[in-house]
Amino acid sequence: MNLAIIASGRGSNAAAILDAIANDRLDARPVALITNRENVGALDVARAHNVPGHAISRRDFPSRTAQQRRMLEVLQDSGADFVALAGFDAILRPFIVAAYPNRILNIHPSLLPAFAGGMAPVPQTDALRAGVKISGCTVHVVTEDLDAGPIVAQAAVSVLPNDTVGSLSDRILEQEHRLYPLALRWFAEDRARIVDGRVLIDSEESQALWPHPAP
Ligand code: GAR
């Protein structure tokens, strides 16, 4: 797997993925880390891991489409054959999704399909407001439908009575860092298949994630 990461912010998920690669928990070659902003933490993460970082900022292009055309060029020039969105705060244009069919994953800080559509910390805030007792994170395949592609993996956390957006986000983030490298591994090892819009994973590890393992 020649992996590119696309991020917008501090880059803690990018760091978790690159750490997993460095520690041989994920067999992938990190070929690029692209951001849609300058001076964000994710670019420092790229530097620290010796991964080529590319800031492709909206203000250098006449339109979002032109900006994303450049993102696609950089992806293709880097040799990426798989893409991980890690805190990307824009919507990928359909021409990028089409260039990597079923080869782009995203992580979202809720148990989808609940609280889809927003960018952190909106999903966590909405979960608190709704009074749900369990929330978590979801890794899913990116399709043209926002936050609605086939679900690869989820991890649940309790929502505690005195939680703030910050404390709930931190609890979810810990699970994100565990879940995302694992989900990428299933794709790197060719253990994930998409059948009728659902992801089937051929791995005992995936069974161990769920409270009720299959018999
Ligand atoms: C993470 O919580 C991720 O799930 C969320 O942004 C945060 C990025 O943090 N993504 C979304 O909200 C996507 N809709 P990070 O920059 O530290 O990885």
Side-chain angles (χ1 to χ4, degrees), residues 115-146:
F115 312 117
M119 185 66 204
V122 174
Q124 296 97 323
T125 307
D126 289 350
L128 275 183
R129 256 194 215 126
V132 296
K133 304 306 180 209
I134 293 173
S135 190
C137 54
T138 302
V139 175
H140 66 92
V141 177
V142 172
T143 62
E144 282 192 30
D145 301 321
L146 184 60

Side-chain angles (χ1 to χ4, degrees), residues 7-12 14 33-35 39-47 86:
S8 300
R10 79 193 142 183
S12 74
L33 189 150
I34 297 173
T35 67
N39 303 319
V40 288
L43 291 167
D44 298 328
V45 170
R47 226 166 281 127

Side-chain angles (χ1 to χ4, degrees), residues 76-88:
Q76 289 173 334
D77 289 351
S78 72
D81 57 26
F82 206 96
V83 180
L85 305 186
F88 180 54

